[in-house]
Amino acid sequence: MAFGRHERVQFSKIYSLSCFRPSTRDEHGQIGQKGYSRVVYCNDVDNPEAVQLRYRGNYVSTTKYTAINFLPKSLFEQFRRVANIYFLVVACVSFSPLAPFRASSILFPLLLVIGATMAKEGVEDWRRRKQDIKANNRKIHVYRDHSFSERKWKDLRVGDLVKVHKDEYFPADLLLLSSSYPDGICYVETMNLDGETNLKLKHAFDFTASLHDDDSFRQFKAVVKCEDPNEDLYSFVGSLSYNNNQHPLSLQQVLLRDSKLKNTEYVYGVVIFTGHDTKVMQNATDPPSKRSKIERRMDKIIYILFSTLISISFIGSIFFGIRTNRDLNNGSYRRWYLEPSRTTALYDPKRPALAALLHFLTGLMLYGYLIPISLYVSIEMVKVLQSVFINQDQDMYHEETNRPARARTSNLNEELGQVDTVLSDKTGTLTCNSMEFVKCSIAGVSYGRGMTEVELALAKRKNVEQLDAGNTSNISDDHAVKSRKSVKGFNFWDERIMDSQWVNEPNSDVIQKFFRVLAICHTAIPEVNRDTGELSYEAESPDEAAFVIAAREVGFEFFQRTQTSISLHEFENGKTVDRSYELLNMIEFSSARKRMSVIIRNAENQLFLLCKGADSIMFEKLSKESQPFEDQTKNHINKYAEAGLRTLVVAYRPLDEVEYKTWEEEFLNAKTSVSVDRDSLIDAAAEKIERDLILLGATAVEDKLQKGVPECIEKLANAGIKIWVLTGDKMETAINIGYACRLLAQGMKQIVITLDSPDIKSLEKLRDREAIAKASRESIEKQLREGRSQIDLATSKSSSVLFALIIDGRSLAFALDKSLEELFLKIAVDCSSVICCRSSPKQKALVTKMVKEGTRKTTLAIGDGANDVGMLQEADIGVGISGAEGMQAVMASDFAIAQFRFLERLLLVHGHWCYRRIAMMICYFFYKNIAFGFTLLWFEAHASFSGQPAYNDWYMSFYNVFFTSLPVIALGVFDQDVSARLCLKYPLLYQEGVQNILFNWPRILGWMFNGVLSSMIIFFICKNSTIHQAFREDGHVIDYEILGVLMYTCVVWAVNCQMALSINYFTWIQHFFIWGSIFFWYVFLVIYGYINPLWSTTAYRVFVEACAPSPFYWMTTFLVVVSTLLPYFLYRAFQTRFHPMYHDEIQRRRSEGCEEVSPGELPGRVKDKMDHLSERMKHSHREI
């Protein structure tokens, strides 16, 4: 029955359709002017005037590159990096006589690194192109040559007439002409646009709604004049010229690309915007560029190395100039063997200043190996591989929805290990966004047994065993509940109501009316599964679906909707009967009205208005006459709110014919009005009929916490991460949800900032906006200062009491003012938890920005809906929940997970590992390059700064590319200080990243000093142990070529063994890369040494004939490597024994077999370390 009866439904007859109002604003007078110049010839694409307009086609491309611009654009991207520009300049200058080595030796690594990066960019862009090809080649029915035929999306043109079937996506922005419904309405799912899964109702004009079949379009011609392409999803200005009449258009006649047709067999539409002109593509801007703090600091280190490079080149050139100047003494040359009279300007004692300047340029190239050329590409490779491990983590895979974790960007992996504050949405993020009907209050009696998760938390907090909102007894028969069939959206049980027992209740007539309202007052559509015969409902919201399901389960089953009627299966007099209600009018729900009403006529010809809405509005609409159970209902609503439930008030009103006829005439006049105040006329008419209501009761639905949320929040709090919840719920609901998810704890002192004071309320009645604003600001400032004083008092007394800050949306608006923002932030960061209630999407983004900029620490925002996008993009890291509110949040996020509980593993395990790996990797990169580069400096100093490199050209070229790069990549991908289990067991280990212990300036400078020290040990031991004695068996002493090979061998061994000392977790891959890199050096030396000496130069057979046969070569290598590693080994031994870091203690206890001890039972030294980290964290916050 899914759609068989829908053909007769004409909702346009009953809806107020205030949302369908065509725009009557002044913009319509601007059509044809700038910004409103688009003209569409409907079903007449070959019209010469239409051809001349030359609008874009429907081909869409989301790629960054094209075949034409890939090379220039990609090269531009690569040379935006300072290091790459430097190496490019060096490569260009290397073709001149200034170069200390051949040009090919510097060009090869540069081309290899840039080529690898460009290849990565190309592969990623090709994947995007494949997605584009798939989208562009989708099929759609297009009207050509008086019939519909299948065409590809990319072939659509502006003005084409198309037919879209149920569950198909709209290929372009369309003007709705008609649908399978007689009155031209259709239902649209806009999940891909705004993330909402609720269905939107669209409505065609009456004069086109009659075009129902293919043949009716043979003579159809029209002209649309409308706004130019823009990104505004929520407005449309245009007019339709049809049959010599002009009709204003609104967004309600527009079907946007990438939204989906639902609950409608088909629609006809005309293409208005195509391709990149569509609104969804106009909104497809690149997300804000985010860089991690480590990457930003890495740039500073590069600048330090550049400064070092320039400094040593300058110093070397000065010494070279001084020595060159001394070579000319009274017309004779001191170093006559250099033949200065035959040299060029590079060495000219007669022009020492020029020689020094040219030597400076030579030094810039020679010492360029201080800058790690492969650093950027290595980090990119590592981050991509880290992302693969995140994506493949089985412990973050949600089997129910078949959704794994997804790293949507690899730029922020290490940032996951430095999060100081998490800002979270509630609905759909902490909760399931799957509403269940659990309790209700009818005629002053609360129904619904059992306890919600929030009630259980309340009971635990109050040390009571039972808590029931208004019930005298709690659930008495658990097994009765468990034995019942599970129904999605319905988690209600009460023996007084279920199984038709409600007829025995004293107020059975009120109960009947209550559930009848729930079964009738809605916009849901019934659907029957043709395979199983089960009845389900397509509703505009989860709440509405839960109400209709609850009515069905109690005995009021909504099963059919016709043109102007709703039919129910009702339980009456011991049997089920069919009752039909004539649906006369519907006044739909809106965020401003906060209620929904329908007017019906029953079989007895009685008229009723049925209404449901928010308690803040509904109680004002009740009749002033006796409402016998109003106080009890209000009491129950408050208790439901405390239990974390969402409530609505249900009421009705009988109408007489005369009153209804009078009102209907006024209402129809308001509906058909084309004046600018049409909405206000409709609202005024609604106000006249929605009055003197008779209270029936209230509903309470539960949005359950996701599995594992309390445990996750507790673990994150133990890790020292501050958690803020930004929600639109009431303060009472938010507080109790906070207790349920362990965001708030018993004994935690609450600082509540609110404007619900008698003084403010009395001012609001006077409606003096200036006075209200002034008093509100003063009240907020006073409350904030009182909160500050409470925290300061506790701090001065060294009290261990924890604070929680709770603030509502109205107060937040004042607290975010520039004059109060600093005070608000100081209080918030000193609180363990912060809850912002009644927050708007804009306020969420503003709070996130305040925390990020005010604390200067890493913030992470997590949400699941379109209203969270601003918050996700503003935070340093955005995490999207791929839940029930669509994919808008996921599309705007940096990481995507299926459940909030996976955030624990994402941060404490992957975040900690990625931070540690990247920090160690960068430090090691700079260490190995400094160790290598400074050996060149020491050699230069002993060679009169002549510009002669210590090593063969290709030795130097391959250093960063082959002999030392793979081990550091293995470190960045596989190293673990502790296992995943221990990361979760000792969450405070995460503070190493928050405090940036592994990548602070002392540690960075320490690694740099170690590199300088290693270079000194390598050079001076190699030189002093070999220069004054025979090296070969035949008595030959060491020469320049052998010294270079010996030093280079020691460097390769030392930096790779240093890596082996630094690694905490060995795999066969790391062994293979470390020892394989060393082995490859010897293989290269042998192979390269056999190449023609014109190419191999100083490497020609030097290893086979000179080094390998010499025991002195091997003994020196062993001595130098041990001596180089000894300082770091002694430092780590001393640190681990006397000043251990937190992970050192965990490693030690694990090696001793004692890691099974819980964190609370750790020895005093570990506790001191934990306290030290916590104090540093608090101190850094107070320095804001």
Side-chain angles (χ1 to χ4, degrees), residues 231-301:
E231 73 281 359
D232 192 346
L233 291 172
Y234 304 106
S235 74
F236 180 80
V237 178
S239 66
L240 175 68
S241 178
Y242 180 63
N243 289 340
N244 298 319
N245 292 317
Q246 292 283 339
H247 306 277
L249 297 174
S250 74
L251 191 64
Q252 289 307 314
Q253 287 85 45
V254 178
L255 307 172
L256 300 181
R257 179 187 171 114
D258 280 348
S259 50
K260 183 190 285 187
L261 183 64
K262 301 287 288 185
N263 292 347
T264 311
E265 289 294 338
Y266 60 84
V267 296
Y268 293 102
V270 172
V271 177
I272 302 176
F273 297 117
T274 51
H276 289 272
D277 287 344
T278 58
K279 289 185 179 288
V280 67
M281 293 306 298
Q282 291 281 312
N283 277 274
T285 56
D286 293 330
S289 178
K290 297 180 180 181
R291 297 184 70 205
S292 69
K293 289 180 174 59
I294 284 184
E295 192 172 343
R296 289 195 290 268
R297 179 165 289 185
M298 185 175 71
D299 289 345
K300 296 178 181 178
I301 301 173

Side-chain angles (χ1 to χ4, degrees), residues 563-710:
Q563 177 175 332
T564 55
S565 69
I566 281 183
S567 299
L568 309 180
H569 295 310
E570 293 188 10
F571 182 80
E572 190 175 294
N573 299 326
K575 60 181 181 179
T576 301
V577 297
D578 290 354
R579 292 182 66 91
S580 183
Y581 299 89
E582 185 181 358
L583 195 55
L584 301 175
N585 298 95
M586 182 179 294
I587 312 173
E588 63 272 11
F589 179 90
S590 72
S591 57
R593 285 171 36 78
K594 296 184 180 179
R595 63 190 183 278
M596 173 190 177
S597 299
V598 297
I599 298 176
I600 62 165
R601 189 189 301 273
N602 63 13
E604 291 76 26
N605 204 33
Q606 295 173 315
L607 289 172
F608 292 96
L609 179 138
L610 312 180
C611 188
K612 65 183 181 185
D615 58 298
S616 58
I617 299 294
M618 293 293 289
F619 282 116
E620 296 177 0
K621 303 292 180 184
L622 297 181
S623 171
K624 303 304 179 185
E625 298 177 4
S626 176
Q627 298 284 347
F629 39 82
E630 181 178 349
D631 291 338
Q632 297 95 312
T633 304
K634 286 181 177 179
N635 183 43
H636 292 158
I637 288 175
N638 290 334
K639 289 186 177 180
Y640 294 156
E642 290 179 2
L645 303 176
R646 298 168 64 153
T647 59
L648 280 181
V649 172
V650 178
Y652 82 105
R653 179 193 173 204
L655 303 174
D656 61 63
E657 288 287 347
V658 176
E659 179 189 14
Y660 173 69
K661 290 296 183 183
T662 304
W663 175 85
E664 184 183 32
E665 183 178 354
E666 179 181 350
F667 186 62
L668 289 175
N669 289 335
K671 282 173 57 177
T672 55
S673 171
V674 292
S675 63
V676 292
D677 57 350
R678 178 178 182 273
D679 283 348
S680 60
L681 291 175
I682 291 177
D683 289 341
E687 288 285 342
K688 290 182 179 180
I689 200 73
E690 292 173 330
R691 59 180 177 82
D692 297 333
L693 301 179
I694 300 173
L695 179 65
L696 294 174
T699 62
V701 295
E702 179 185 19
D703 189 6
K704 283 195 171 184
L705 288 175
Q706 291 181 12
K707 178 183 177 183
V709 165

Side-chain angles (χ1 to χ4, degrees), residues 1156-1167:
E1156 292 303 321
V1157 180
S1158 66
E1161 299 171 346
L1162 290 172
R1165 182 165 54 182
V1166 179
K1167 289 182 179 179

Side-chain angles (χ1 to χ4, degrees), residues 288-498:
S289 178
K290 297 180 180 181
R291 297 184 70 205
S292 69
K293 289 180 174 59
I294 284 184
E295 192 172 343
R296 289 195 290 268
R297 179 165 289 185
M298 185 175 71
D299 289 345
K300 296 178 181 178
I301 301 173
I302 292 288
Y303 293 137
I304 290 175
L305 292 181
F306 268 122
S307 302
T308 304
L309 167 64
I310 293 171
S311 298
I312 62 177
S313 298
F314 180 73
I315 292 170
S317 66
I318 290 176
F319 278 103
F320 179 75
I322 293 172
R323 188 65 185 269
T324 302
N325 186 49
R326 289 177 180 175
D327 276 340
L328 186 62
N329 185 21
N330 297 325
S332 61
Y333 296 105
R334 287 187 176 184
R335 291 187 291 180
W336 52 267
Y337 50 86
L338 296 178
E339 299 186 27
S341 60
R342 300 177 58 185
T343 60
T344 63
L346 297 175
Y347 170 63
D348 188 352
K350 295 179 180 179
R351 292 182 292 176
L354 178 60
L357 176 63
L358 295 176
H359 183 275
F360 174 73
L361 299 177
T362 300
L364 290 179
M365 289 184 280
L366 179 62
Y367 304 127
Y369 290 94
L370 289 172
I371 313 298
I373 189 172
S374 60
L375 173 62
Y376 288 109
V377 68
S378 298
I379 288 177
E380 285 185 5
M381 291 174 60
V382 164
K383 288 184 176 182
V384 168
L385 292 172
Q386 288 176 346
S387 299
V388 171
F389 282 113
I390 291 174
N391 296 344
Q392 299 295 326
D393 191 338
Q394 293 294 315
D395 291 321
M396 292 196 294
Y397 169 72
H398 193 232
E399 189 172 358
E400 294 176 18
T401 57
N402 191 29
R403 285 173 176 159
R406 278 284 175 264
R408 302 190 69 252
T409 177
S410 59
N411 295 336
L412 303 173
N413 294 353
E414 68 273 23
E415 202 86 331
L416 289 171
Q418 297 182 278
V419 174
D420 177 74
T421 306
V422 171
L423 300 103
S424 174
D425 176 41
K426 184 189 79 68
T427 303
T429 303
L430 300 178
T431 60
C432 300
N433 197 25
S434 177
M435 307 302 172
E436 291 187 334
F437 188 94
V438 292
K439 293 178 184 291
C440 60
S441 172
I442 308 174
V445 179
S446 181
Y447 295 97
R449 307 296 195 183
M451 301 175 74
T452 66
E453 292 173 330
V454 176
E455 285 178 306
L456 291 172
L458 281 168
K460 183 178 180 181
R461 192 166 105 237
K462 296 179 179 179
N463 292 320
V464 297
E465 294 182 357
Q466 294 181 334
L467 177 66
D468 191 12
N471 283 338
T472 56
S473 61
N474 211 324
I475 187 164
S476 57
D477 192 358
D478 270 343
H479 118 137
V481 177
K482 295 176 182 177
S483 64
R484 294 181 61 84
K485 180 182 176 181
S486 176
V487 178
K488 183 179 180 181
F490 187 74
N491 190 25
F492 176 89
W493 171 258
D494 195 306
E495 69 282 357
R496 297 170 294 177
I497 294 289
M498 300 304 295

Side-chain angles (χ1 to χ4, degrees), residues 833-902:
S833 302
V834 179
I835 299 177
C836 300
C837 315
R838 296 293 193 190
S839 304
S840 67
K842 184 178 181 180
Q843 285 179 327
K844 291 182 180 182
L846 289 174
V847 169
T848 304
K849 182 180 180 180
M850 178 193 70
V851 177
K852 180 179 72 172
E853 295 179 353
T855 64
R856 297 188 297 277
K857 290 183 175 290
T858 304
T859 56
L860 180 147
I862 180 169
D864 73 316
N867 60 334
D868 301 317
V869 168
M871 177 174 70
L872 298 183
Q873 293 186 337
E874 187 63 55
D876 293 302
I877 307 171
V879 177
I881 300 284
S882 50
E885 287 197 25
M887 300 299 289
Q888 193 78 355
V890 171
M891 296 302 291
S893 68
D894 304 302
F895 297 88
I897 53 179
Q899 295 275 285
F900 182 87
R901 70 177 185 272
F902 297 146

